[in-house]
Amino acid sequence: MTGKIPEEVIHQIRESNDITDVISDYVQLKKQGRNYFGLCPFHGESTPSFSVSPEKQIYHCFGCGAGGNVYSFLMDIENISFTEATSRLAKRAGIPLQFHTDETPKTSIPNDFEKMLSAHELLTKFYHHLLINTKEGQEALEYLFTRGFTKELIEKFEIGWSLPHWDFATRFLQKRGFSAQLMEKAGLSIRSEKDEGYFDRFRGRIMFPLHDSKGKVVAFSARSLNNEQPKYLNSPETPLFNKSELLYNFHRARPLVRKDQQFILLEGFADVITADQAGVHNAIATMGTSLTDRHVQAIKRVTDQVIICYDGDSAGIQASFRAATLLSEQGLKLRIAALPDKLDPDDYIKLNGAEKFKNEIIGASLTFMAFKMLYYRQNKNLQDEGDKLQYIEEILVEISKLRNAVERDHYLRLLADEFSLSLEALKFEQKQIYFAEKKRQPLQFQTPQKIVYPRTESKLYPAFHTAERRLIAHMLKDGDIAYKVRELLNGETFNLDEHQAIFTYLLGYYEKGNEANSSDFINEIPDVNLRQVVTNIEMMVINDEISDQELSDYIKEVLKHQKVLKIKEKMKEEKEAERQKDYAKAAKIAMEILQIRKTF
């Protein structure tokens, strides 16, 4: 499994990469007792069931069963080989890694999928080279400079230039072994309706690579240079690219969110680049689509705090309200940064500077309720009695949804002060609305809010099964116990094949002279299912030490089950003997059953 990388180097790399730190780059973790919990990145869920043990350096999901150590996590989340995972972790820890292998690193990525990724990566570098280093890209480069882009910014976001030739990129890729049919599937080429040929999708445009959550280029957004239409041309949806899932700059912003604890959600990728230049590096954006549940789930795995900063025009305000509602329904804490004078973030920063944007827009963001009080004013004349009463009723409905009594009181007082109304009258009306809405929509108006606890193992096992799990748990802690168990079993085996396999691997692990370390031991197990069983068992809460009596009791349960199975088998034989009227044989079998029962 480890190729030619020495075992001691694998151990050193693992010891130098705390699993909690590594997983925190992908999942928002919160401490609960000794462990950390979060939403599992390997399956969709709303209740955290993904547990990380910093003490044991392992993870386990009680929902889907995924589990392992820091190596297996990186392999699974990034779809990479053990060798590649080792290389990345070594780089992360600053450990020089030199090894030779004749094996091609294996991944679980389908061949066509991998080729499409390679084609995007190759074109990204080629387009960037054309922009930075050639005469053909000079006009586009100067245009970007006039728009405030620096060379550092162009380098960071890998911006490029596609030549205005009909099929240059298509032929460029074909010469490097990529079929035109596959490039059409990847969204890079278009098949001609007139003949059997193919031509480039992107021609004579400034190219912005779009990365998935793992940092792989999966699509492009291409801007016209001389106001050709459309102004922006995006890749179509492909096996690589789904605009309902992709968040621009997510892969760069995610590690920074561990420090800032929040994403800044913008409306377009151009705003993200400008915000980055202004020093806001944790910004992300959707790609020409409204925020979706899939976007929210990706955000929620990393943090539960978001600041929305969409355009300040009417469409932007409407989009802010929709996004905020979706985020709020998913339980995220959010604020809205309101831009004045119908400006977008890009325009605001260019007019007012980076510091004002950070301090007076992002730093002065509003709570969702405060934003609603502005939102419902739209298209209303509050000097008109009808509009004013409608506005007050709409705000009272929103206040009724607040679960915190102090918040409700705060906004009721604001409403009373603004319109010179009796606070008592507003409170009475708000309660009337609350009870009416609770009857109509009981799920939306539950109070107090139910606390969501992390989901942990609650499955009940038969006695022998529990005994085997507890024996393995103690053997993982202490090699001497593993040898005691072998002695007490006296040649017998565990009842479950998976437990016996783990026991066999564990004995082999200790016989190599290894110390008890479940995270290291997992590397010795080639089977994914067995690794998941080990991490599941390791998440059990057991005493630090086990008495001889407790050990003996567990062994008795293991052996007792084997005897129970033997008795059941003998009872079938006894019935068969009686059916055949062989009463002597039946009596003999009955005596054998009696003898087995005496050994319980």
Side-chain angles (χ1 to χ4, degrees):
M1 185 177 179
T2 60
K4 295 186 179 180
I5 307 172
E7 291 288 343
E8 59 271 18
V9 175
I10 292 171
H11 178 76
Q12 181 192 4
I13 292 169
R14 191 197 62 75
E15 288 285 307
S16 303
N17 284 277
D18 181 76
I19 194 168
T20 310
D21 289 338
V22 173
I23 292 179
S24 291
D25 286 344
Y26 300 86
V27 180
Q28 180 194 8
L29 297 174
K30 292 185 177 179
K31 193 168 187 182
Q32 296 279 347
R34 287 185 175 184
N35 296 342
Y36 289 80
F37 284 86
L39 295 175
C40 180
F42 303 115
H43 80 286
E45 62 177 6
S46 56
T47 302
S49 63
F50 184 81
S51 178
V52 181
S53 170
E55 178 186 349
K56 298 171 182 176
Q57 289 294 298
I58 60 172
Y59 68 92
H60 181 77
C61 176
F62 294 102
C64 68
N69 60 11
V70 69
Y71 286 108
S72 53
F73 178 83
L74 206 58
M75 289 165 65
D76 291 341
I77 198 76
E78 295 284 3
N79 281 323
I80 57 177
S81 66
F82 181 83
T83 301
E84 178 62 21
T86 305
S87 178
R88 291 193 190 185
L89 290 170
K91 184 178 179 181
R92 192 178 191 275
I95 297 172
L97 183 63
Q98 294 181 350
F99 63 93
H100 302 284
T101 178
D102 297 327
E103 297 178 2
T104 303
K106 296 178 181 177
T107 73
S108 60
I109 305 175
N111 193 39
D112 282 357
F113 197 94
E114 188 175 7
K115 282 182 179 177
M116 287 189 281
L117 284 174
S118 297
H120 277 85
E121 189 66 32
L122 186 60
L123 276 185
T124 298
K125 293 176 181 177
F126 181 61
Y127 289 149
H128 185 67
H129 166 74
L130 289 174
L131 177 69
I132 296 295
N133 300 314
T134 69
K135 289 181 181 179
E136 288 86 349
Q138 190 64 35
E139 183 185 357
L141 185 62
E142 288 176 0
Y143 169 81
L144 288 170
F145 287 155
T146 61
R147 295 282 297 172
F149 285 74
T150 63
K151 191 170 182 181
E152 292 73 23
L153 206 62
I154 292 169
E155 292 281 356
K156 178 175 182 177
F157 289 91
E158 304 171 273
I159 301 168
W161 167 251
S162 60
L163 293 173
H165 301 308
W166 194 248
D167 61 353
F168 190 91
T170 300
R171 288 187 289 108
F172 173 81
L173 290 171
Q174 283 180 313
K175 286 178 182 178
R176 283 152 183 81
F178 299 95
S179 72
Q181 293 84 356
L182 189 62
M183 294 309 97
E184 180 188 19
K185 187 179 178 182
L188 299 172
S189 300
I190 299 173
R191 186 172 184 172
S192 172
E193 295 180 0
K194 296 179 180 179
D195 53 42
E196 295 298 314
Y198 292 83
F199 58 91
D200 299 349
R201 180 176 297 276
F202 305 110
R203 305 182 303 279
R205 287 175 174 268
I206 298 170
M207 304 298 293
F208 295 87
L210 309 180
H211 301 76
D212 65 12
S213 61
K214 301 178 179 68
K216 302 287 187 183
V217 179
V218 294
F220 292 99
S221 185
R223 190 195 191 284
S224 64
L225 184 58
N226 298 309
N227 296 317
E228 297 95 344
Q229 294 301 315
K231 183 178 178 181
Y232 284 100
L233 178 64
N234 292 337
S235 293
E237 294 208 344
T238 69
L240 301 182
F241 173 55
N242 185 331
K243 64 183 180 181
S244 296
E245 294 179 358
L246 188 138
L247 289 162
Y248 185 77
N249 201 47
F250 187 82
H251 70 294
R252 295 188 190 93
R254 181 176 57 200
L256 303 174
V257 171
R258 291 182 60 194
K259 175 186 174 184
D260 300 323
Q261 291 299 308
Q262 63 186 11
F263 279 118
I264 311 297
L265 180 62
L266 306 180
E267 209 165 353
F269 73 86
D271 295 330
V272 171
I273 295 172
T274 306
D276 186 89
Q277 192 173 18
V280 179
H281 305 301
N282 55 328
I284 56 175
T286 54
M287 287 303 305
T289 181
S290 298
L291 195 71
T292 67
D293 286 331
R294 291 181 179 179
H295 291 139
V296 175
Q297 285 302 313
I299 291 169
K300 196 175 177 181
R301 288 192 184 102
V302 181
T303 183
D304 60 358
Q305 298 182 51
V306 178
I307 294 179
I308 300 170
C309 185
Y310 283 0
D311 296 353
D313 59 9
S314 177
I317 293 169
Q318 292 290 339
S320 295
F321 185 81
R322 287 194 301 271
T325 300
L326 182 58
L327 289 164
S328 179
E329 287 172 349
Q330 293 289 332
L332 279 82
K333 302 169 188 173
L334 63 105
R335 299 179 72 87
I336 293 93
L339 287 162
D341 305 322
K342 300 182 179 180
L343 295 173
D344 61 28
D346 183 44
D347 291 334
Y348 183 91
I349 291 168
K350 285 170 181 173
L351 285 172
N352 299 285
E355 289 307 310
K356 274 199 170 186
F357 178 71
K358 287 191 287 187
N359 298 327
E360 297 182 16
I361 300 299
I362 301 299
S365 56
L366 305 171
T367 65
F368 190 19
M369 187 62 228
F371 174 75
K372 286 176 180 179
M373 296 184 81
L374 296 176
Y375 173 79
Y376 283 108
R377 289 175 187 270
Q378 292 183 108
N379 305 318
K380 285 187 178 71
N381 175 13
L382 296 185
Q383 301 305 312
D384 177 82
E385 187 175 356
D387 281 0
K388 180 167 66 174
L389 290 173
Q390 182 186 351
Y391 172 77
I392 292 170
E393 185 174 353
E394 287 171 340
I395 296 303
L396 286 174
V397 169
E398 295 299 336
I399 291 173
S400 296
K401 296 176 184 176
L402 298 174
R403 292 181 168 90
N404 185 291
V406 174
E407 277 188 278
R408 291 197 297 272
D409 185 75
H410 171 71
Y411 291 111
L412 285 170
R413 288 178 186 277
L414 289 180
L415 206 57
D417 290 345
E418 180 177 0
F419 294 103
S420 301
L421 297 170
S422 161
L423 180 61
E424 287 70 26
L426 286 176
K427 284 184 176 181
F428 177 80
E429 186 66 21
Q430 181 265 314
K431 285 181 180 178
Q432 294 292 101
I433 290 172
Y434 170 78
F435 288 114
E437 288 291 331
K438 188 178 181 181
K439 286 180 181 179
R440 193 168 66 88
Q441 300 180 41
L443 293 178
Q444 190 175 357
F445 286 84
Q446 288 178 349
T447 182
Q449 187 175 9
K450 185 180 178 182
I451 299 172
V452 178
Y453 292 100
R455 192 167 117 212
T456 55
E457 185 64 63
S458 59
K459 187 175 180 180
L460 293 175
Y461 296 101
F464 80 92
H465 194 150
T466 299
E468 291 185 0
R469 284 169 58 84
R470 289 192 171 276
L471 284 172
I472 291 172
H474 283 288
M475 289 189 289
L476 286 166
K477 283 175 169 283
D478 189 339
D480 289 338
I481 293 174
Y483 293 124
K484 278 186 184 179
V485 169
R486 181 172 65 177
E487 182 182 338
L488 290 169
L489 283 173
N490 193 26
E492 298 294 336
T493 62
F494 284 118
N495 294 285
L496 295 179
D497 290 342
E498 60 189 19
H499 290 169
Q500 182 60 32
I502 291 168
F503 181 40
T504 303
Y505 280 120
L506 196 53
L507 288 171
Y509 174 78
Y510 285 132
E511 283 170 2
K512 289 180 183 178
N514 294 310
E515 296 289 328
N517 187 313
S518 56
S519 187
D520 274 345
F521 170 59
I522 286 168
N523 287 338
E524 301 285 319
I525 304 175
D527 184 80
V528 173
N529 292 328
L530 290 182
R531 290 202 296 267
Q532 291 179 356
V533 174
V534 171
T535 56
N536 181 284
I537 290 172
E538 268 290 65
M539 290 298 177
M540 290 169 54
V541 178
I542 60 170
N543 295 328
D544 290 334
E545 295 182 359
I546 183 171
S547 66
D548 289 341
Q549 184 60 51
E550 189 180 358
L551 188 62
S552 177
D553 289 344
Y554 289 148
I555 294 293
K556 283 180 181 177
E557 282 295 337
V558 173
L559 298 178
K560 178 182 175 180
H561 183 69
Q562 295 177 5
K563 292 172 184 176
V564 168
L565 293 178
K566 191 173 286 186
I567 287 172
K568 286 182 179 179
E569 187 180 331
K570 290 288 182 184
M571 288 175 74
K572 286 181 181 178
E573 293 176 7
E574 183 184 10
K575 285 183 180 180
E576 179 61 24
E578 289 174 350
R579 191 181 68 81
Q580 295 181 2
K581 298 182 179 181
D582 188 347
Y583 298 113
K585 183 178 179 181
K588 181 183 178 184
I589 294 172
M591 288 301 297
E592 290 175 358
I593 293 172
L594 187 61
Q595 291 301 317
I596 295 172
R597 290 190 189 278
K598 286 181 179 179
T599 63
F600 280 13

